[in-house]
Amino acid sequence: MAITLPELPYSKDALEPHISAKTLEFHHDKHHNAYVVNTNKLIEGTELANADLAEIIKATVGKSDKVGIFNNAAQVWNHTFYWNCMKKNGGGKPTGQIAERIIKDFGSYEKFVEEFKNAGATQFGSGWAWLVLQDGKLQIMKTSNADTPIAHGVVPLLTVDVWEHAYYLDYQNRRPDYLSIFVDNLVNWDFVNSCLK
Amino acid sequence: MAKYELPKLHYSYNALEPNIDAQTMEIHYTKHHGTYVTNLNKAIEGTNLEKLSLEETLRSVSQYPVAVRNNGGGHYNHSLFWEVMNPKEKGNPPGSFSDALNNTFGSLDDLIKKFSEAAMGRFGSGWAWLVLDNNGKLSIGSTPNQDNPLMDVSEFKGTPLLGLDVWEHAYYLKYQNRRAEYVANFWNVVNWNEVAKRYANARK
């Protein structure tokens, strides 16, 4: 059972002008696809050949002889999750259950935004910033390179990719601008709410 | 006055075209390297690190805040990177340095192959290196993020002779996901005289 590359949940130009079609084309068709291809190559003929993505990630995390499999499989998972975290005309204040949870656990939406953007801006090098559910509480988390909350029993609710390839064609070195745009114009809060259930 | 300054670039932004494009050079030098210098100065302000050299600071970097490691490494690595490239020096390693490379790696092609593998194998952001290791031997490896072989925290240690930036910001505007092409074209602009000079100094 090979791992497959999911389609983007919207057209390549759907997130313009915030994320360009060119960025989505490289990011999905080249980067995301390469992680899928590499994962399949690395698991072929091993005991993980028929495992699903989450099983592969959990079976390889922290194992020094399985770093290549973990990196590629976790990146497949992270990117699929990231695509779902965005939509056309998204962003801004959330509605539904997540809105109440954010106020309860962060004090205000603005405080959440500040902490989430700070995590993205201070993840040095490549990685991801996350809103997660851990021990029954919403928390902000950042992970390096391919690392992912699902490898650590933490429930991801929202992520932003801060590998440079996610924003360099559109924002170059201005990662903070990309993070602001993501929060204000792209977040798919319906998807975040669906992850809470 | 701030201790660290952005060093002068000894060639124009378009000098390494078509291997490295002018827009990448300008953003990489003024924005990325510039920010490391600014943040390094902030990180050491009012501390005794104002009295240490950058090399001394990096050799004991485990004792200081992570901002010193990230920005000090960023400043050192980029300063070296600009110097080991040069559009006019295209060619082969000079004389006795060439002999040393051949003795260690077999041939220049073998060195290039091994170094390129290190550059391709570095997952995420980082650097590939040719160093003179602490046993006086030429060695190839890589470091994550802005770590470098001088740092006490680095698994790969030695005196850097040649470094290649494989952060995506170093190549994404021109090469996008094609890191391999960027790494292959790097060899067109390596300043072997500078690398040989660093080798001679490291052996002193």
Side-chain angles (χ1 to χ4, degrees):
Chain A
M1 188 186 68
I3 302 302
T4 54
L5 177 68
E7 293 287 318
L8 278 178
Y10 30 73
S11 64
K12 295 253 168 50
D13 62 358
L15 306 182
E16 296 260 14
H18 312 300
I19 293 182
S20 65
K22 195 174 175 197
T23 290
L24 280 189
E25 189 177 327
F26 281 110
H27 203 172
H28 177 267
D29 298 0
K30 303 293 183 184
H31 291 279
H32 197 178
N33 185 59
Y35 295 128
V36 171
V37 170
N38 289 336
T39 301
N40 285 327
K41 250 187 235 164
L42 291 166
I43 61 173
E44 194 183 344
T46 76
E47 72 278 11
L48 293 170
N50 293 312
D52 70 27
L53 205 47
E55 288 167 347
I56 295 170
I57 291 166
K58 283 167 192 158
T60 56
V61 61
K63 298 204 170 137
S64 57
D65 59 333
K66 302 244 165 50
V67 171
I69 303 179
F70 177 81
N71 283 343
N72 283 287
Q75 282 295 77
V76 174
W77 196 94
N78 291 342
H79 280 90
T80 303
F81 192 80
Y82 170 63
W83 307 137
N84 285 318
C85 284
M86 298 187 286
K87 68 169 189 179
K88 189 180 180 68
N89 299 323
K93 283 195 173 183
T95 52
Q97 200 191 344
I98 192 70
E100 296 159 29
R101 295 295 299 264
I102 281 176
I103 289 170
K104 178 166 164 276
D105 291 338
F106 293 98
S108 68
Y109 170 72
E110 289 72 21
K111 185 74 184 144
F112 151 75
V113 169
E114 183 191 326
E115 286 190 34
F116 184 76
K117 290 201 310 200
N118 184 55
T122 58
Q123 172 51 45
F124 192 72
S126 303
W128 302 79
W130 305 85
L131 171 67
V132 300
L133 186 62
Q134 186 173 18
D135 305 324
K137 197 168 179 288
L138 296 190
Q139 303 199 33
I140 301 297
M141 176 175 185
K142 55 185 177 180
T143 59
S144 166
N145 292 338
D147 201 13
T148 181
I150 68 159
H152 309 284
V154 176
V155 180
L157 304 175
L158 172 69
T159 195
V160 62
D161 188 347
V162 294
W163 282 61
E164 287 172 323
H165 65 231
Y167 61 87
Y168 212 78
L169 296 179
D170 300 326
Y171 299 93
Q172 295 85 48
N173 61 302
R174 303 186 305 280
R175 190 193 286 186
D177 291 356
Y178 159 70
L179 291 168
S180 293
I181 294 279
F182 177 87
V183 168
D184 293 341
N185 303 94
L186 294 172
V187 175
N188 182 349
W189 288 113
D190 295 334
F191 176 73
V192 179
N193 268 312
S194 76
C195 294
L196 259 184
K197 285 170 188 133
Chain B
M1 202 186 86
K3 177 176 171 72
Y4 292 107
E5 285 178 15
L6 190 59
K8 201 170 151 40
L9 200 59
H10 296 296
Y11 40 80
S12 60
Y13 295 140
N14 65 4
L16 305 181
E17 295 258 14
N19 303 291
I20 298 180
D21 61 286
Q23 191 190 6
T24 295
M25 276 303 299
E26 182 170 359
I27 296 172
H28 200 173
Y29 171 73
T30 62
K31 305 292 185 184
H32 292 278
H33 191 174
T35 302
Y36 292 127
V37 172
T38 303
N39 289 340
L40 175 60
N41 282 323
K42 265 187 220 160
I44 65 160
E45 195 181 354
T47 75
N48 61 5
L49 290 178
E50 287 183 328
K51 297 186 192 74
L52 287 191
S53 72
L54 184 54
E55 285 80 358
E56 288 170 320
T57 301
L58 298 181
R59 285 184 207 283
S60 54
V61 81
S62 62
Q63 300 170 35
Y64 315 121
V66 72
V68 175
R69 174 176 174 174
N70 291 342
N71 295 296
H75 178 40
Y76 181 95
N77 297 345
H78 285 90
S79 300
L80 177 142
F81 186 48
W82 312 133
E83 290 190 5
V84 297
M85 296 189 292
N86 189 335
K88 296 191 197 90
E89 300 275 346
K90 203 190 282 185
N92 293 315
S96 62
F97 179 55
S98 176
D99 296 341
L101 293 178
N102 290 338
N103 285 340
T104 305
F105 300 107
S107 68
L108 180 60
D109 284 348
D110 290 321
L111 174 151
I112 289 174
K113 184 162 177 278
K114 197 168 180 204
F115 189 101
S116 301
E117 280 167 8
M120 293 307 296
R122 170 50 55 190
F123 187 77
S125 305
W127 291 76
W129 302 99
L130 169 68
V131 303
L132 189 69
D133 74 15
N134 300 335
N135 300 316
K137 207 170 165 305
L138 288 165
S139 174
I140 285 168
S142 75
T143 55
N145 295 331
Q146 294 297 354
D147 285 359
N148 74 38
L150 289 177
M151 291 181 178
D152 58 355
V153 294
S154 180
E155 280 178 34
F156 179 70
K157 284 198 181 68
T159 304
L161 309 178
L162 174 66
L164 173 60
D165 190 345
V166 294
W167 281 59
E168 287 172 324
H169 67 232
Y171 59 88
Y172 210 79
L173 295 180
K174 182 173 172 67
Y175 297 96
Q176 295 86 42
N177 60 304
R178 301 183 304 282
R179 187 192 285 191
E181 212 177 295
Y182 159 72
V183 172
N185 286 348
F186 170 65
W187 302 104
N188 294 331
V189 294
V190 170
N191 180 351
W192 284 112
N193 287 340
E194 172 65 22
V195 182
K197 195 179 91 189
R198 285 172 179 267
Y199 175 68
N201 287 339
R203 277 161 53 89
K204 275 176 194 163

